[in-house]
């Protein structure tokens, strides 16, 4: 469990070498370990369940105190190595009331970000029309001529489905999903939705990222993180197609 906790702390950017001997029933080290772990996990959480899941992966148990009359949560405590502290004993900002305020703040931040993303998307059509003169009038993939809308979809990092494309070897036609590489210079086919996730190596990543890695591309992959609560974006590649493992930066 200590090694597992160490790995999660390293992934969250915490220098946890000071916690290597935390499993020696040292209350002070346990307290500091819980503090740093909660602090690192909190920005990722929308509610107490999110926090409980992330802390569980770091070996920390979360216990809730419920009101007898309503069953609502009114207190929180954290336990590691058999040593428990109330949230407020770790830090006043870790009392359940203050944690709830932080959850609400995180939700507001995500909602505001969603509004900004939507506004940017709504502005895309106008921007695309302004850039029409700089885009190719004709784009052909696999012998199929794309509409301007299809080309814009690809350049926006999304995918399209094309039918009756010609195989390079002249062996007939095929239909598939199509997406562009990160540089927007080359198209790749996929028989499944490119944005679906698949287990590949140590990560669960999008199918499109797996395809690019296997075609000697350096790609900024989107991989599931913290059980799908969040995502990580490492650069992944293979130096040779024959290699069974990819490299990461």
């Amino acid at each position: 469990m200590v090694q597992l906790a160490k790995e999660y702390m390293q992934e969250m950017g915490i220098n946890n070498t000071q916690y290597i001997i935390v499993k020696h029933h040292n209350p002070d080290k346990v307290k500091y370990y819980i503090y740093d772990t909660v602090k690192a996990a909190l920005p990722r959480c929308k509610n107490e369940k999110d926090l409980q899941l992330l802390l569980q992966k770091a070996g920390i148990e979360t216990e809730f105190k419920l009101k007898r009359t309503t069953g609502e949560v009114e207190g929180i405590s954290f336990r590691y190595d058999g040593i428990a502290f109330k949230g407020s004993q770790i830090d006043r900002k870790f009392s359940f009331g203050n944690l709830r305020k932080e959850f609400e703040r995180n939700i507001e931040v995500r909602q505001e970000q969603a509004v900004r993303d939507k506004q940017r998307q709504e502005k895309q059509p106008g921007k695309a029309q302004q850039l029409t003169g700089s885009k190719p009038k004709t784009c052909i993939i696999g012998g199929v001529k794309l509409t301007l809308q299809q080309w814009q979809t690809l350049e926006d990092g999304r995918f399209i489905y094309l039918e009756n494309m010609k195989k390079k070897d002249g062996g007939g036609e095929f239909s598939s999903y199509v997406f562009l590489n990160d540089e927007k210079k080359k198209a790749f086919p996929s028989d499944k939705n490119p944005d679906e996730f698949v287990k590949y190596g140590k990560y669960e990543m999008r199918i499109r990222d797996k395809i690019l890695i296997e075609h000697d591309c350096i790609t900024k992959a989107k991989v599931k993180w913290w059980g799908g609560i969040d995502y990580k974006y490492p650069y992944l590649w293979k130096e040779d197609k024959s290699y069974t493992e990819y490299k990461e930066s």
Side-chain angles (χ1 to χ4, degrees):
M1 182 63 74
V2 173
Q3 181 61 32
L4 178 61
K6 282 180 58 183
E7 291 174 358
Y8 275 101
M9 290 304 94
Q10 290 170 351
E11 296 293 356
M12 288 200 295
I14 296 176
N15 180 3
N16 67 333
T17 54
Q18 60 182 313
Y19 302 126
I20 293 177
I21 59 173
V22 77
K23 294 289 284 184
H24 289 178
H25 301 282
N26 186 318
D28 288 337
K29 286 189 176 292
V30 168
K31 184 176 181 179
Y32 291 132
Y33 175 62
I34 293 175
Y35 173 85
D36 280 349
T37 309
V38 174
K39 182 179 178 181
L42 194 53
R44 306 168 184 263
C45 303
K46 302 185 297 294
N47 51 52
E48 60 269 22
K49 292 300 181 183
D50 288 350
L51 181 62
Q52 184 179 31
L53 176 62
L54 295 183
L55 296 184
Q56 183 180 5
K57 291 182 177 182
I60 299 173
E61 299 177 21
T62 306
E63 300 173 354
F64 301 104
K65 180 182 178 183
L66 306 180
K67 292 183 179 180
R68 292 184 178 180
T69 54
T70 63
E72 296 179 353
V73 178
E74 65 174 356
I76 190 170
S77 61
F78 307 102
R79 180 182 300 274
Y80 184 81
D81 190 26
I83 301 173
F85 293 95
K86 294 180 180 179
S88 58
Q89 290 176 320
I90 301 294
D91 193 285
R92 289 183 62 183
K93 61 186 176 184
F94 292 162
S95 67
F96 186 73
N98 288 329
L99 288 176
R100 177 171 286 174
K101 292 178 182 178
E102 195 66 27
F103 298 148
E104 293 172 352
R105 191 175 299 114
N106 290 344
I107 292 174
E108 290 177 0
V109 170
R110 295 191 184 193
Q111 289 175 340
E112 291 172 357
Q113 183 62 48
V115 171
R116 289 194 293 268
D117 291 343
K118 183 178 180 181
Q119 290 174 342
R120 281 197 295 267
Q121 291 175 0
E122 290 174 348
K123 292 179 181 179
Q124 285 294 329
K127 182 178 178 181
Q129 290 177 2
Q130 294 174 8
L131 299 176
T132 299
S134 64
K135 293 184 181 298
K137 293 183 178 179
T138 302
C139 181
I140 299 175
I141 296 179
V144 178
K145 184 165 66 175
L146 272 60
T147 66
L148 182 60
Q149 183 178 359
Q150 287 176 317
W151 177 248
Q152 183 64 50
T153 298
L154 291 176
E155 282 211 329
D156 287 344
R158 293 176 288 168
F159 60 85
I160 59 176
Y161 189 83
L162 290 182
E163 297 181 335
N164 304 321
M165 290 185 289
K166 294 179 174 59
K167 295 182 178 180
K168 291 183 179 181
D169 59 5
E173 298 180 341
F174 72 103
S175 301
S176 76
Y177 295 97
V178 175
F179 64 94
L180 299 180
N181 62 355
D182 293 354
E183 292 77 21
K184 309 292 191 284
K185 294 181 179 180
K186 187 175 180 180
F188 291 84
S190 173
D191 57 352
K192 295 182 179 179
N193 182 330
D195 286 344
E196 289 183 359
F197 283 81
V198 62
K199 187 72 170 65
Y200 185 54
K202 70 175 184 178
Y203 289 126
E204 188 173 353
M205 66 181 68
R206 297 175 302 179
I207 291 175
R208 68 163 69 206
D209 299 321
K210 178 178 182 292
I211 292 174
L212 291 176
I213 293 170
E214 293 178 340
H215 282 81
D216 295 336
C217 295
I218 299 176
T219 182
K220 187 177 182 181
K222 179 180 181 180
V223 302
K224 287 189 176 182
W225 202 242
W226 293 109
I229 295 176
D230 202 352
Y231 297 98
K232 184 180 179 183
Y233 299 88
Y235 284 95
L236 306 176
W237 74 94
K238 281 186 178 182
E239 292 185 345
D240 190 284
K241 289 183 180 180
S242 63
Y243 292 172
T244 58
E245 297 182 354
Y246 50 76
K247 290 196 171 184
E248 174 181 354
S249 174

